[in-house]
Amino acid sequence: MTTNSQTPRPAKTPPRSSARNDLDRIEATGSPWWAQAPSVAMACLTVAVTPFKLLALVADTAVSLCFLAVFGTVGLWYIGYIPDQTVAEVLGSVGQRLLGILEGTGLL
């Protein structure tokens, strides 16, 4: 036969405040909050500088591709894939543009 005897329940502890829970959590880390300030500042700086790093990477890639195109063109001309007449026409038009710019500024 089972009896429904009620066993005494332990007294309820009052709920702990959120501030006390935060304080316990901070004490458990072993370091004060301000010890993390340099790493947080560095993370913020990294986030702020990232767009400039990406812009620098794009500009570096563009310059590298320009050098590759120029040296590739010179190499193809040297090997003979680009005829001398084509090179003379392109360099002549570039020279005319440069002379026009210099005359427009009054340097010549």
Side-chain angles (χ1 to χ4, degrees):
M1 190 158 120
T2 59
T3 60
N4 284 341
S5 64
Q6 292 185 357
T7 59
R9 292 186 182 180
K12 287 187 175 180
T13 58
R16 300 181 74 171
S17 69
S18 177
R20 182 63 195 164
N21 289 338
D22 290 343
L23 186 58
D24 289 342
R25 184 179 49 81
I26 291 170
E27 289 174 354
T29 61
S31 63
W33 64 269
W34 47 265
Q36 300 301 320
S39 64
V40 172
M42 195 61 172
C44 292
L45 185 65
T46 301
V47 168
V49 171
T50 299
F52 297 110
K53 283 186 176 182
L54 292 176
L55 184 63
L57 181 64
V58 168
D60 183 46
T61 302
V63 169
S64 297
L65 289 175
C66 287
F67 275 114
L68 182 66
V70 167
F71 288 119
T73 303
V74 169
L76 290 174
W77 168 70
Y78 185 75
I79 293 173
Y81 283 107
I82 299 176
D84 291 338
Q85 293 171 340
T86 305
V87 173
E89 290 173 11
V90 171
L91 290 179
S93 67
V94 169
Q96 290 298 323
R97 287 183 188 172
L98 288 174
L99 280 174
I101 292 170
L102 290 175
E103 288 175 354
T105 60
L107 292 175
L108 288 179

